[in-house]
Amino acid sequence: MNQPIPPATHPDGNRRERLSIAIVCYPTYGGSGVVATELGRCLAERGHEVHFVSYGLPFRLDQQAKNVFFHKVTTLNYPLFPGQLYTLGLASKLADLADEREIDLIHCHYAIPHAMSALLAKEIARRPLRVVTTLHGTDITLVGRDPSFYRVTRYAIESSDGTTAVSRYLAEETVRRFCCECDIAVIHNFADERVFFPPFAPPPDFDPEEERRQLEHLLNFPPGTPWILHVSNFRPLKNSIHTVDILHRLTQRGIEVGLVLIGDGIEMPRVLERIHQLGLEDRVRCIGARDQPAAFYRHATLFLLPSQSESFGLAALEAMSCGTPVVVSRTGGLPEVVAEGETGFMVEPGDLEGFTEACTLLIEDPTLRRQLGERAYLHARENFDRQAIVSRYEDYYLTLLGRETKTLRSGQAGAETG
Ligand code: GMT
């Protein structure tokens, strides 16, 4: 006989109903997969049963963690089909899972095609299900806008039981572009403070100086060289190539500086070519995709994100959580994450001279750098608190499920709507 399942424990001391949640995300190097993985892990730590469903293991997922399960979607590749019908394979997997593991709710990260698969699974499954869709960025600003997907994206947003967006900017863009007749809850992203902490506020038994020495050994820049960090999935809208142009301008100003690139993507060959064209091989380190980038964030001189568009900019938040000032584009949701002149600088996308100037200021003024780094850390902790954000998702689920939320602290029920 099944043992009674204890209610989920919650850091505010209340106990909540234990849910069985399916999380659908992309497994590849990218912010939406990271957010999905970190959220799922935190929900599992609270006692919920969390099932990740994707075509590959999400790149930061620890399968050994308690209450965490991974289900791989496989699809038939048949000569009549123009491509693999992932949407259908995913729907089928979700419907099976819902029945077998008594799933309460499917949480889709990135609308296309995940939300459509989840809605189909909801039709097929033999138990009632709720579907939550979190919009992350290009699912609205690029892919979903494409005429070939527009109607389906709009339908998916309107038909989900709940839709959230990672920034006010993205919620407003969604309403504007899709004329959606639904409330979109804004729930910002978070960075896990147990992993992303600064060298000046380390946990007990952690030696940041030893970590710095190891990193210096790995990077092998001349001793004392400041270095800029860029972390992205190297797609064209990240403007990663601009990091090399900015480095070039800094060296033309006579500034000794290095550049560390973490991640990979279709723009990488162009970036490598530009490094070669400008003769900057000695100053750039291409590290590739890392599932544990925190040490790099912690010891970088500054973090650079010159994107053309960015609905949130999770990498900037991770850098700030590590006490590193940021230089980012003034675009999309980044002004909701970065406090201008307080935690870093914002520059118009494409303004290479403006980016170079902001980097120069930080590289040449250690006092300013330290002040901004400290404020960045505090800003991240105060405004993007992990536990508070996980609780908002949890409350959102319970409200949609019509479940008991009366144990919540007053004023906490539900999310801000945009
Ligand atoms: O929209 C994308 O490009 C996909 C997504 C990803 O998987 O990398 O990135 C988006 O989601 C992140 C997590 O919410 C945000 O931090 C990124 O700003 C956002 N990317 C864009 O808007 C370009």
Side-chain angles (χ1 to χ4, degrees):
M1 206 174 89
N2 285 345
Q3 295 293 314
I5 297 169
T9 51
H10 187 265
D12 64 13
N14 292 321
R15 295 176 78 75
R16 302 182 186 208
E17 191 172 346
R18 185 181 204 256
L19 300 177
S20 195
I21 303 159
I23 291 190
V24 184
C25 66
Y26 285 109
T28 47
Y29 199 78
S32 63
V34 170
V35 170
T37 306
E38 303 281 342
L39 172 63
R41 194 193 13 211
C42 292
L43 290 165
E45 286 173 4
R46 289 182 177 201
H48 300 294
E49 190 173 294
V50 181
H51 297 268
F52 286 89
V53 188
S54 189
Y55 58 84
L57 188 69
F59 88 109
R60 278 194 198 169
L61 183 66
D62 172 11
Q63 265 195 100
Q64 306 309 320
K66 198 171 164 218
N67 299 329
V68 168
F69 304 87
F70 171 63
H71 308 269
K72 187 176 164 104
V73 180
T74 48
T75 42
L76 178 69
N77 200 1
Y78 191 68
L80 280 182
F81 305 153
Q84 285 201 344
L85 297 181
Y86 180 65
T87 308
L88 296 183
L90 176 58
S92 211
K93 177 64 108 189
L94 286 168
D96 285 347
L97 190 67
D99 293 339
E100 285 160 17
R101 305 302 293 254
E102 301 190 356
I103 298 291
D104 297 298
L105 179 139
I106 303 173
H107 188 168
C108 302
H109 290 263
Y110 207 86
I112 300 209
H114 301 155
M116 283 311 296
S117 301
L119 290 168
L120 192 50
K122 182 179 166 176
E123 289 288 315
I124 300 168
R126 285 187 287 270
R127 55 181 284 109
L129 278 175
R130 291 281 181 272
V131 174
V132 173
T133 300
T134 290
L135 310 173
H136 279 273
T138 51
D139 43 356
I140 293 304
T141 58
L142 202 68
V143 183
R145 276 176 69 198
D146 189 272
S148 58
F149 290 130
Y150 184 86
R151 291 285 297 273
V152 157
T153 307
R154 183 178 166 173
Y155 175 84
I157 296 166
E158 291 189 338
S159 307
S160 293
D161 297 291
T163 304
T164 76
V166 296
S167 61
R168 281 190 297 281
Y169 155 80
L170 188 59
E172 285 162 12
E173 272 300 284
T174 307
V175 171
R176 190 175 72 79
R177 289 184 193 273
F178 289 90
C179 309
C180 283
E181 289 166 13
C182 62
D183 280 342
I184 299 176
V186 176
I187 306 183
H188 283 141
N189 294 329
F190 64 90
D192 190 332
E193 78 289 350
R194 297 167 297 182
V195 177
F196 298 98
F197 53 83
F200 51 79
D205 302 328
F206 181 86
D207 181 358
E209 278 316 305
E210 176 54 26
E211 186 184 63
R212 181 189 297 280
R213 276 191 290 278
Q214 285 179 13
L215 214 53
E216 279 174 359
H217 181 72
L218 173 82
L219 295 175
N220 198 21
F221 286 127
T225 305
W227 51 275
I228 295 172
L229 177 65
H230 172 72
V231 179
S232 82
N233 48 18
F234 291 80
R235 278 177 295 165
L237 51 73
K238 296 285 174 182
N239 281 343
S240 299
I241 203 160
H242 289 179
T243 63
V244 182
D245 295 331
I246 294 161
L247 175 71
H248 179 59
R249 285 170 187 245
L250 287 166
T251 59
Q252 283 185 325
R253 291 180 178 204
I255 297 173
E256 287 297 322
V257 60
L259 173 65
V260 175
L261 302 176
I262 294 189
D264 205 352
I266 54 166
E267 279 289 279
M268 203 40 137
R270 278 186 68 219
V271 170
L272 294 175
E273 193 187 319
R274 183 69 60 96
I275 293 167
H276 180 67
Q277 271 170 3
L278 297 172
L280 290 169
E281 288 93 338
D282 285 355
R283 291 177 182 269
V284 186
R285 304 287 181 270
C286 298
I287 306 288
R290 290 262 164 165
D291 55 3
Q292 303 294 346
F296 293 90
Y297 285 123
R298 249 191 297 283
H299 300 289
T301 306
L302 65 95
F303 176 76
L304 180 59
L305 192 64
S307 311
Q308 194 58 40
S309 129
E310 202 70 69
S311 70
F312 183 87
L314 181 66
L317 178 63
E318 291 179 340
M320 283 166 38
S321 306
C322 289
T324 298
V326 300
V327 178
V328 303
S329 292
R330 189 180 290 106
T331 184
L334 276 166
E336 293 170 50
V337 179
V338 176
E340 169 81 75
E342 293 278 314
T343 69
F345 296 113
M346 277 190 274
V347 181
E348 295 307 314
D351 177 4
L352 293 179
E353 200 47 34
F355 274 105
T356 308
E357 190 53 35
C359 292
T360 304
L361 271 174
L362 284 170
I363 292 167
E364 294 195 329
D365 188 342
T367 309
L368 177 71
R369 203 160 71 220
R370 201 191 63 244
Q371 283 169 350
L372 265 59
E374 285 172 3
R375 282 190 220 140
Y377 162 64
L378 292 174
H379 184 79
R381 288 299 295 269
E382 281 162 16
N383 297 286
F384 302 93
D385 177 69
R386 174 174 61 91
Q387 297 287 27
I389 290 168
V390 175
S391 291
R392 291 190 68 190
Y393 276 114
E394 213 179 20
D395 295 351
Y396 192 73
Y397 297 160
L398 289 168
T399 304
L400 287 182
L401 288 163
R403 302 277 177 88
E404 198 60 57
T405 55
K406 66 172 183 276
T407 54
L408 303 181
R409 285 167 297 180
S410 58
Q412 238 210 334
E416 178 186 340
T417 50

